[in-house]
Amino acid sequence: MFIKRLLLEMSAFFAAVVFSCLLVSCSAGDDYYGFPGAGYFGSWEPDLETDYFSGDKFDTIIDNPFVLTSEENVSTFSLDADSASYSYMRKSINTGFLPDESSVRIEEYLNYFTYDYEDPKGNETVALNSEVSSCPWNDEHYLVRLGIKGKSIEAENVPLNNYVFLIDVSGSMNGSDRLPLLKKCLIKMLDSMNPNDRVSIVTYSGHEELLLESTLVENKNLIKSKINSLTANGATNGARAINMAYREALDNYIEGGNNRIIMGTDGDFNVGITSTDALLELVENYARQEKSVYLTVCGFGYGNLNDAMMEKVSNSGNGTYVYVDSENEMNKVFVEESSRFITVANDCKAQITFNKDLVYMYRLIGYENRVLANEDFENDKTDAAEIGAGQTVTALYEIVPCENCSYDPESKEFAESLFTFDFRYKEKLNEESKLLSCTQNKFSETCSENMRFAQAVAAFGMVLRKSEYKGSCSLNLVTELLGNGFTFDPSGRRCEFSELVSRAFSCN
């Protein structure tokens, strides 16, 4: 009788445990949709026999084609200062896989790195430079490099920050490379901030919450305790939290300061407003307001990463999009390059006018989703990208010369300018834009380190994209272009790139 009763009680106990587990699974919302790293019961370890990045969402990219200058000799595009595509590639390769072709945005590969460009002179907040060299993947073509640098700001001149940390605490943020890494990021950032800066915290899962009202960073321990208390659970309803974050930023707006929302998420909105178009409209409505609040979107995790949505939302919110795949990237974004959160040039647009007598065809490498109509260049209502303090931006064109296009072998100069590089930007969002221009008539047989490195990065991107325009590009060519390294290599990131290229040889 005793044994029978004991067995019955044990059966009831185990049934309760199973039922409780099912309840947790159901209440987790997006925790159990089958993607990697989403569970509650310990960290997920990848099975290297399968492509566990397959649930990530990217927009399809179609390479920019060659354009005949006889039909259109003017090319206009918005700059891109994002870097998410590069660090996503690094995550993929370090795990043994080549990245999804649609994830490869070559402009973000180029602009992940800092280039050795001169600072602006005088009262300008932006400086331009350009260079023309031979094209390493097609001997009959030239390569044009355009360089832009935002003005650096001395520590004593850094404006006060009004940050709203908008944190996704839904179940899909469970896993060591998601919410725990995001928490480390924010705490690391706090330790480098001014005591008079302000921080608010808004969280969201099934519902939104103002976890911490705007608080001076001198109360760092309070802010850290709020961050450390965060746990991942529930579905993802981000739209109402975005509204709350903007209201909090506007309520505590600092005139002349850096007012910015820093959003940490995997982008997996599955409750409330979930369509990208509706989210874009929401963010654009705030971006058009007189008070300028910027938006930085930080992507985390893999397997259900909504890259397509996050890139578009950050663009619409006058901001940038980064992907944080490691503590090293965390340190780069939130400490080493935190000055990039301070915008020095707004709505930055480039317009290149090619000389029809010298250039037969041209192709913009990358920037496919940043191309603008030529008439948008002078239209100050057209939204474009922002550049942070001390930030460099690079763009490449591959050009096909006309048959009679030749340069003086002694002076290395063409008889006329190959192109004019016009650049428009606003020092403040609601002001009129300013125009800068430069021309280029020189050819460099021995290209600069800046050009050689940009060539290698672009070639690598075209190989990964399997671009129809890659010519003789190969991993071997990329290795050859990298050569024996570079004299300019802040934080060793170019060396790291060389190691990634080596690993790519053995990836699936």
Side-chain angles (χ1 to χ4, degrees):
M1 185 69 180
F2 171 79
I3 293 175
K4 183 178 181 181
R5 181 178 178 185
L6 179 61
L7 288 173
L8 287 170
E9 289 179 351
M10 289 177 66
S11 297
F13 171 77
F14 284 117
V17 169
V18 171
F19 183 70
S20 298
C21 290
L22 288 172
L23 282 179
V24 171
S25 174
C26 293
S27 66
D30 51 348
D31 291 341
Y32 285 88
Y33 288 165
F35 57 79
Y40 271 77
F41 305 106
S43 297
W44 174 85
E45 293 297 331
D47 174 7
L48 295 183
E49 298 299 319
T50 60
D51 185 353
Y52 55 92
F53 294 87
S54 60
D56 296 336
K57 301 172 186 175
F58 303 97
D59 278 338
T60 300
I61 298 173
I62 299 174
D63 288 332
N64 289 322
F66 277 102
V67 178
L68 290 167
T69 56
S70 59
E71 296 180 0
E72 180 56 79
N73 71 324
V74 180
S75 173
T76 307
F77 64 98
S78 164
L79 298 193
D80 192 331
D82 295 345
S83 63
S85 180
Y86 180 88
S87 45
Y88 181 86
M89 171 272 294
R90 180 177 57 209
K91 175 78 170 180
S92 299
I93 287 180
N94 283 338
T95 316
F97 295 97
L98 294 179
D100 185 301
E101 292 171 26
S102 292
S103 77
V104 180
R105 296 186 288 271
I106 294 177
E107 70 278 9
E108 294 187 24
Y109 282 32
L110 288 167
N111 293 318
Y112 179 83
F113 301 94
T114 297
Y115 292 78
D116 192 15
Y117 297 159
E118 290 187 6
D119 264 6
K121 293 181 173 60
N123 295 324
E124 293 294 345
T125 57
V126 173
L128 307 182
N129 66 82
S130 64
E131 182 178 4
V132 181
S133 75
S134 58
C135 178
W137 49 85
N138 193 320
D139 293 338
E140 297 180 354
H141 296 181
Y142 294 145
L143 206 61
V144 172
R145 179 188 57 75
L146 307 176
I148 303 103
K149 185 172 185 181
K151 185 175 183 177
S152 301
I153 298 178
E154 299 296 331
E156 60 270 19
N157 296 324
V158 171
L160 288 177
N161 297 303
N162 166 34
Y163 286 138
V164 180
F165 295 162
L166 176 56
I167 305 173
D168 181 352
V169 293
S170 65
S172 64
M173 287 293 286
N174 197 29
S176 60
D177 63 341
R178 302 179 188 218
L179 184 58
L181 181 58
L182 172 55
K183 288 159 69 172
K184 288 180 182 178
C185 291
L186 299 179
I187 288 173
K188 188 89 173 177
M189 186 177 180
L190 275 174
D191 288 333
S192 63
M193 289 174 64
N194 186 314
N196 292 318
D197 290 339
R198 306 192 71 87
V199 166
S200 308
I201 301 176
V202 173
T203 63
Y204 64 95
S205 54
H207 66 280
E208 73 282 2
E209 179 183 1
L210 178 58
L211 185 68
L212 179 70
E213 294 182 348
S214 185
T215 301
L216 288 171
V217 172
E218 66 181 14
N219 299 309
K220 190 183 301 183
N221 290 337
L222 171 62
I223 302 172
K224 286 183 177 181
S225 69
K226 294 291 186 180
I227 294 172
N228 283 323
S229 70
L230 298 173
T231 58
N233 184 22
T236 314
N237 188 348
R240 290 190 302 187
I242 291 173
N243 269 316
M244 179 180 284
Y246 271 105
R247 289 197 300 270
E248 182 69 9
L250 291 168
D251 287 347
N252 298 282
Y253 193 83
I254 299 175
E255 289 292 343
N258 176 30
N259 300 277
R260 182 175 294 268
I261 296 168
I262 298 178
M263 182 180 188
T265 180
D266 58 10
D268 186 34
F269 290 13
N270 54 39
V271 177
I273 295 177
T274 58
S275 79
T276 298
D277 288 344
L279 288 167
L280 293 182
E281 183 179 359
L282 172 64
V283 172
E284 286 169 356
N285 286 337
Y286 283 108
R288 286 192 289 264
Q289 292 193 15
E290 186 174 345
K291 290 184 176 180
S292 306
V293 175
Y294 297 90
L295 173 65
T296 294
V297 179
C298 304
F300 291 83
Y302 53 89
N304 70 320
L305 183 77
N306 194 339
D307 173 272
M309 182 274 284
M310 289 189 284
E311 190 209 8
K312 289 178 180 176
V313 167
S314 67
N315 292 346
S316 296
N318 294 322
T320 52
Y321 169 39
V322 300
Y323 176 76
V324 183
D325 63 322
S326 63
E327 291 196 26
N328 284 337
E329 184 66 10
M330 170 194 80
N331 197 62
K332 175 183 185 289
V333 172
F334 290 90
V335 180
E336 292 177 15
E337 298 178 355
S338 60
S339 63
R340 294 188 180 188
F341 289 136
I342 303 166
T343 301
V344 296
N346 299 275
D347 288 338
C348 300
K349 294 175 276 190
Q351 186 167 82
I352 318 304
T353 304
F354 290 99
N355 186 330
K356 294 182 181 181
D357 295 331
L358 299 178
V359 179
Y360 175 62
M361 288 194 301
Y362 63 88
R363 187 178 89 83
L364 176 61
I365 300 176
Y367 291 91
E368 283 83 4
N369 58 5
R370 299 284 188 153
V371 173
L372 297 175
N374 291 333
E375 56 267 26
D376 287 335
F377 183 67
E378 295 185 358
N379 183 357
D380 282 353
K381 293 183 179 180
T382 300
D383 183 53
E386 280 65 46
I387 297 177
Q391 186 166 16
T392 62
V393 180
T394 298
L396 295 177
Y397 279 89
E398 184 176 348
I399 63 174
V400 181
C402 294
E403 289 185 4
N404 62 347
C405 178
S406 61
Y407 63 94
D408 183 339
E410 291 186 7
S411 65
K412 306 293 188 298
E413 291 187 359
F414 295 95
E416 305 172 65
S417 294
L418 273 176
F419 60 85
T420 299
F421 173 19
D422 292 323
F423 180 82
R424 279 196 177 275
Y425 74 99
K426 304 172 187 172
E427 291 189 3
K428 294 183 179 179
L429 273 172
N430 298 308
E431 294 181 347
E432 290 186 3
S433 63
K434 301 175 67 174
L435 176 66
L436 298 177
S437 297
C438 72
T439 59
Q440 183 60 263
N441 67 337
K442 289 189 175 182
F443 172 77
S444 176
E445 290 182 340
T446 305
C447 60
S448 68
E449 277 197 3
N450 286 323
M451 175 64 99
R452 180 162 61 92
F453 185 71
Q455 289 173 348
V457 174
F460 187 58
M462 285 192 285
V463 170
L464 295 182
R465 282 191 49 70
K466 298 183 176 66
S467 171
E468 63 178 293
Y469 302 104
K470 67 185 180 65
S472 63
C473 283
S474 65
L475 292 180
N476 285 324
L477 176 62
V478 176
T479 302
E480 181 183 330
L481 290 170
L482 291 172
N484 296 320
F486 297 85
T487 58
F488 181 78
D489 189 11
S491 304
R493 307 211 183 277
R494 297 187 178 193
C495 180
E496 180 196 58
F497 172 67
S498 181
E499 293 172 359
L500 285 171
V501 174
S502 297
R503 290 176 191 164
F505 279 94
S506 59
C507 285
N508 297 325

